[in-house]
Amino acid sequence: LAWCRHGFAPASSVWRDLLGARSWQTDMLIGSALHQHRLLVTKKEKRPPRSQLSPVKTKKEVEVWVGMTVEDLASAMAKDIDCVYEALLNTAIDVDSLEANSHLDEVWIKEVIKKAGMKLKWSKLKQERIRENKDAVRRPGTDPALLKPRSPVVTVMGHVDHGKTTLLDKLRETQVAAMEVGGITQHIGAFLVSLPSGEKITFLDTPGHAAFSAMRARGAQVTDIVVLVVAADDGVMKQTVESIQHAKDAEVPIILAINKCDKTDADPEKVKKELLAYDVVCEEYGGDVQAVHVSALTGDNLMALAEATIALAEILELKADPTGPVEGTVIESFTDKGRGPVTTAIIQRGTLRKGSILVAGKSWAKVRLIFDENGKILNEAYPSMPVGIIGWRDLPSAGDEILEVESEPRAREVIEWRKSEQKEEKGKDDLKIMEEKRREHQEAHRKAREKYGSLHWKERSYIKFLERKQQRPLKPKEKVERQSNVLPIIIKGDVDGSVEAILNLLDTYDASHECELELVHFGLGDISENDVTFAETFDGVIYGFNVEAGSAIQQSAAQKGVKIKLHKIIYHLIEDLQEELSSRLPHTLEEYPIGEASILATFTVTEGKKKIPVAGCRVQKGQLERHKKFKLIRNGQVIWKGSLTSLKHHKDDISVIKTGMDCGLSLDEEKVEFKPGDQVICYEENKVPTKTSWDPGF
Ligand SMILES: Nc1nc2c(ncn2[C@@H]2O[C@H](COP(=O)(O)OP(=O)(O)OP(=O)(O)O)[C@@H](O)[C@H]2O)c(=O)[nH]1
């Protein structure tokens, strides 16, 4: 009791400090000290620890932060992790569910610190800092006096095979024809069509709504007008309706191109009528949708389509400010072997020049070269112009917003900021997921706990440890079965947009219960040795879209047993994938009936000591074959399936019995009782390939 003896001496430093404190504190502390003294006098053996006598002086300060883990807290307290668990016993939190890396809510952090007799201090460093926004953003609205008319940007959409590609090709051809001889067209994801009047239209040449949706998903509103292609012989189909919906969602007006009008069974009026049901009302029906009858194949009336587009653009009064820093959108991006990362883009504001500093997504560029779809080098590019841009440090993605900034250091700053933002967001998401997992875990434990009744948590943990130990790992056979139902794939494409469109389609995959589809790798460019090695490792299949596989690569793939499948049409690639998936499914057995008999009488025969039930039947259809499969049907229900042990005509064993003849038969299952009126079916089983149930929506 040495500490107690000197604890009450006023001369001691403890008391000097305490008496110097504010009066309410003093009263409280003296009160507490007296209470402690009473306790000591009456219950000496249960004396409280010394620290309780002088809390202000000795309370250890612990630096804590929101979202810290059990481990973090233990180490901040300089204690063993068990101390945290012990402190949380008999609280609402389920201690069993806490792992060393579980995150603790504020309330539990406080609880632990309180129980440990320590003092908490919220960490300034680890608390969220409000950071200055260093991002680059679009400029605010322009002075209307600076706005100049610009050409419309058009996307062609419609149902599969209705002629989108043919239409774009024909429009591009007219452009190429108008071009100087010897010019080389470049695929830049968009091209300009010039009309004799001098007007221009920019066509995005990635047909289909996948690319359109991908852009919109990133908030990039690039398209001013949708040209909806509907084949006059086919009429409105599933993807016609989807395209209308996409245009409506994006509030983009439609021009109707009724295609294939050269065909004898073309019925353009029917198409217009059908479209009324989808709120696409053509001018003849009192609406404002222009309809042009065209033939993409012959090129007939394409000029009228272009003129209708210009007329609509005039109504829309499309304008942009061609001055000041550039704003635009990435249409496609790819790596060129000689020139490095290349993006194709639509300029939406300002004027792009060589030397401009751009940021897009998490990449930046000092523009080295600007070129158009004819490969012609440009000095400047204005709003609505589609251009190729070289000079990127990394590859931005389709749909990324392009913004010009004042300098390279500023571009670096923006990219740094975006990267750190992404990291932070990811961190927050991870935290949320972990918290969610922890809750689930906790709930599961709460339920499991009921099973363990009132056992001490340590006992419970031990029992659970034993249970876990008893759980055997997956048996090798199960592993093999699982692996055989996985299709690992590698996707390679020519441009960002096409890979994205394919990945979007893969997102619709919903048949994992039949076969898991595992995307192990995707990227841009021709098939490489790396891809082959990857595919070999995963036992996967390589799908290439608009890319090549050199002969050396093909040879290497053949040696390694790796399939490379190259396609130029996305839906062919997807069909191929469906076939590949189907080929991984077990065959289904289909029954083909050979004959049918009805049971007229039943009796038993004695063979040695055994009594064997026999059915006397008449063959009603086809024939019964002794060595084929049989089933017995009563009141429409199959009550037995198997083989015969005997088939007799009178006293003779026979192998086949035909329609109209009587026979006696017995089954390989003696317990089955026959009844007059039952049917006996003789059938064959054939293996039929199963088809994947995945419907990507074509
Ligand atoms: N007779 C006739 N055939 C056409 C016309 N336009 C396209 N076709 C044919 O229709 C088929 C499909 O044309 P595509 O241009 O590939 O159709 P698409 O809409 O681009 O098809 P996907 O790219 O698969 O969505 C091809 O065989 C074309 O030759 C047309 O105006 N008249």
Side-chain angles (χ1 to χ4, degrees):
L1 287 180
W3 59 273
C4 180
R5 273 198 304 273
H6 84 254
F8 286 90
S12 97
S13 60
V14 176
W15 286 102
R16 221 180 13 247
D17 288 351
L18 292 180
L19 292 172
R22 287 208 313 270
S23 66
W24 66 268
Q25 225 176 355
T26 316
D27 290 351
M28 200 174 75
L29 290 169
I30 291 173
S32 140
L34 286 173
H35 172 71
Q36 296 303 329
H37 181 246
R38 270 196 297 274
L39 265 176
L40 286 166
V41 172
T42 54
K43 282 185 159 188
K44 281 182 189 158
E45 66 287 0
K46 281 200 178 174
R47 71 178 193 215
R50 181 179 183 169
S51 61
Q52 289 186 14
L53 193 67
S54 48
V56 174
K57 179 83 179 174
T58 53
K59 254 192 182 178
K60 182 180 157 69
E61 194 170 70
V62 183
E63 201 172 11
V64 297
W65 61 93
V66 174
M68 74 194 305
T69 61
V70 172
E71 206 169 23
D72 290 337
L73 182 56
S75 95
M77 290 162 63
K79 295 276 184 198
D80 191 87
I81 206 160
D82 281 342
C83 280
V84 177
Y85 293 134
E86 297 273 1
L88 291 173
L89 275 180
N90 303 320
T91 64
I93 199 166
D94 184 352
V95 177
D96 292 350
S97 71
L98 284 182
E99 306 286 345
N101 60 357
S102 301
H103 291 269
L104 291 169
D105 289 339
E106 194 177 323
V107 48
W108 304 125
I109 298 173
K110 284 182 177 164
E111 180 77 15
V112 174
I113 299 289
K114 195 174 118 200
K115 289 230 174 105
M118 297 180 182
K119 205 168 110 184
L120 63 77
K121 179 182 162 205
W122 292 104
S123 166
K124 282 211 177 71
L125 269 180
K126 305 215 166 146
Q127 237 134 31
E128 237 177 71
R129 281 170 296 145
I130 298 163
R131 300 186 310 145
E132 193 193 337
N133 188 337
K134 299 274 178 59
D135 202 4
V137 288
R138 284 186 189 252
R139 285 180 277 150
T142 313
D143 173 1
L146 293 173
L147 292 174
K148 295 270 177 318
R150 64 172 178 84
S151 330
V153 180
V154 175
T155 299
V156 176
M157 293 208 247
H159 191 70
V160 175
D161 275 352
H162 278 196
K164 301 176 292 289
T165 312
T166 314
L167 179 69
L168 284 165
D169 284 350
K170 206 59 167 195
L171 286 165
R172 196 187 292 105
E173 253 177 53
T174 56
Q175 180 61 14
V176 174
M179 210 176 77
E180 286 168 42
V181 182
I184 303 161
T185 57
Q186 298 249 323
H187 177 85
I188 65 166
F191 61 89
L192 265 178
V193 168
S194 304
L195 273 69
S197 58
E199 313 268 17
K200 291 188 168 77
I201 305 171
T202 300
F203 282 95
L204 295 188
D205 74 355
T206 342
H209 55 234
F212 186 80
S213 310
M215 297 249 177
R216 285 209 62 230
R218 293 211 183 89
Q221 189 78 320
V222 188
T223 308
D224 302 308
I225 295 171
V226 162
V227 167
L228 179 67
V229 179
V230 185
D233 56 339
D234 218 8
V236 173
M237 304 294 280
K238 190 174 168 212
Q239 281 173 295
T240 317
V241 179
E242 281 175 21
S243 305
I244 295 170
Q245 203 48 53
H246 282 295
K248 285 201 170 148
D249 290 347
E251 294 179 2
V252 176
I254 290 173
I255 290 182
L256 182 61
I258 306 185
N259 192 29
K260 305 198 185 181
C261 284
D262 57 300
K263 290 180 97 171
T264 46
D265 54 349
D267 189 354
E269 294 313 314
K270 188 172 149 252
V271 171
K272 288 183 214 169
K273 273 190 208 139
E274 282 176 351
L275 284 171
L276 290 174
Y278 303 97
D279 229 7
V280 175
V281 187
C282 296
E283 286 168 335
E284 296 94 306
Y285 290 90
D288 55 3
V289 175
Q290 304 179 75
V292 189
H293 300 191
V294 297
S295 165
L297 197 67
T298 63
D300 211 29
N301 235 11
L302 290 196
M303 202 40 78
L305 179 64
E307 277 159 7
T309 311
I310 292 295
L312 179 56
E314 272 165 18
I315 296 169
L316 296 175
E317 290 189 41
L318 302 172
K319 285 183 177 166
D321 171 13
T323 62
V326 167
E327 291 173 12
T329 296
V330 175
I331 302 297
E332 285 179 357
S333 64
F334 55 93
T335 305
D336 182 282
K337 274 184 195 118
R339 301 186 288 187
V342 181
T343 65
T344 65
I346 300 280
I347 306 301
Q348 290 166 309
R349 198 176 184 186
T351 300
L352 179 68
R353 297 186 177 86
K354 197 176 153 187
S356 298
I357 310 291
L358 306 177
V359 292
K362 280 178 265 330
S363 171
W364 69 276
K366 177 168 183 179
V367 178
R368 268 207 326 265
L369 202 72
I370 312 169
F371 59 93
D372 69 7
E373 72 273 22
N374 301 323
K376 196 174 132 207
I377 292 170
L378 305 173
N379 292 323
E380 291 182 332
Y382 311 103
S384 290
M385 273 173 79
V387 284
I389 304 170
I390 295 176
W392 294 97
R393 299 301 193 266
D394 298 297
L395 213 55
S397 302
D400 278 348
E401 182 181 58
I402 295 180
L403 295 172
E404 183 174 358
V405 293
E406 59 273 22
S407 63
E408 286 187 28
R410 172 71 184 123
R412 286 203 191 89
E413 183 181 64
V414 172
I415 303 308
E416 279 301 305
W417 197 88
R418 289 182 178 179
K419 284 183 177 164
S420 70
E421 266 294 275
Q422 189 192 28
K423 226 167 152 184
E424 199 150 296
E425 280 306 309
K426 196 170 173 304
K428 278 189 201 154
D429 287 350
D430 286 354
L431 206 68
K432 256 194 225 151
I433 293 168
M434 282 192 287
E435 186 56 23
E436 192 56 35
K437 283 253 152 18
R438 190 177 70 78
R439 287 220 176 92
E440 278 170 21
H441 202 159
Q442 208 169 320
E443 181 56 18
H445 270 78
R446 194 188 58 72
K447 287 195 182 134
R449 201 172 160 167
E450 287 163 9
K451 193 169 108 189
Y452 300 113
S454 56
L455 290 181
H456 187 263
W457 71 277
K458 279 186 176 161
E459 289 168 305
R460 277 202 303 271
S461 303
Y462 182 65
I463 293 170
K464 282 187 193 165
F465 165 74
L466 290 182
E467 281 178 355
R468 273 199 297 274
K469 239 174 111 176
Q470 280 162 6
Q471 281 166 5
R472 295 212 178 86
L474 219 55
K475 289 180 212 135
K477 191 170 157 271
E478 285 165 349
K479 268 190 189 163
V480 171
E481 272 169 13
R482 203 194 86 79
Q483 276 162 8
S484 67
N485 263 342
V486 177
L487 173 59
I489 54 167
I490 290 166
I491 302 283
K492 294 294 291 280
D494 55 342
V495 290
D496 219 33
S498 48
V499 174
E500 181 156 13
I502 296 169
L503 298 192
N504 281 348
L505 285 167
L506 295 186
D507 278 347
T508 67
Y509 187 71
D510 55 0
S512 302
H513 55 288
E514 297 167 352
C515 177
E516 259 178 61
L517 183 61
E518 218 170 64
L519 179 66
V520 289
H521 176 61
F522 63 88
L524 300 183
D526 290 341
I527 312 295
S528 65
E529 189 55 50
N530 241 351
D531 298 328
V532 176
T533 315
F534 235 123
E536 189 193 13
T537 315
F538 286 94
D539 191 21
V541 178
I542 303 175
Y543 283 92
F545 178 75
N546 261 340
V547 295
E548 316 248 309
S551 58
I553 299 287
Q554 301 257 23
Q555 263 177 17
S556 150
Q559 272 168 11
K560 292 175 177 158
V562 169
K563 283 191 210 165
I564 299 181
K565 304 197 166 199
L566 303 178
H567 291 278
K568 296 222 176 294
I569 294 176
I570 292 187
Y571 84 91
H572 285 169
L573 186 151
I574 297 294
E575 272 176 359
D576 187 333
L577 181 57
Q578 283 176 298
E579 276 167 28
E580 190 65 41
L581 282 160
S582 301
S583 74
R584 309 238 163 178
L585 302 182
H587 284 77
T588 31
L589 288 177
E590 275 190 8
E591 292 178 4
Y592 292 90
I594 301 171
E596 192 183 312
S598 49
I599 299 180
L600 304 177
T602 63
F603 46 93
T604 46
V605 293
T606 315
E607 260 180 32
K609 284 186 184 163
K610 268 188 175 171
K611 290 203 164 187
I612 296 168
V614 175
C617 310
R618 176 160 306 148
V619 183
Q620 307 289 3
K621 272 189 213 162
Q623 59 187 30
L624 307 189
E625 295 181 33
R626 158 88 173 78
H627 296 291
K628 292 274 154 80
K629 298 197 173 225
F630 282 80
K631 60 185 175 186
L632 187 64
I633 295 179
R634 181 170 304 152
N635 303 327
Q637 304 274 333
V638 178
I639 54 169
W640 163 88
K641 271 183 164 184
S643 320
L644 299 187
T645 44
S646 82
L647 178 65
K648 289 186 192 254
H649 180 56
H650 302 308
K651 299 244 149 140
D652 306 325
D653 283 313
I654 45 164
S655 55
V656 176
I657 183 130
K658 304 212 158 154
T659 315
M661 294 175 76
D662 291 344
C663 62
L665 53 84
S666 54
L667 315 181
D668 61 0
E669 171 78 63
E670 284 162 19
K671 285 189 191 124
V672 178
E673 278 182 30
F674 298 117
K675 279 198 179 154
D678 288 352
Q679 280 175 306
V680 177
I681 311 278
C682 172
Y683 66 96
E684 261 178 346
E685 247 173 10
N686 286 348
K687 281 186 178 174
V688 185
T690 315
K691 272 195 169 174
T692 173
S693 65
W694 173 43
D695 175 10
F698 291 131

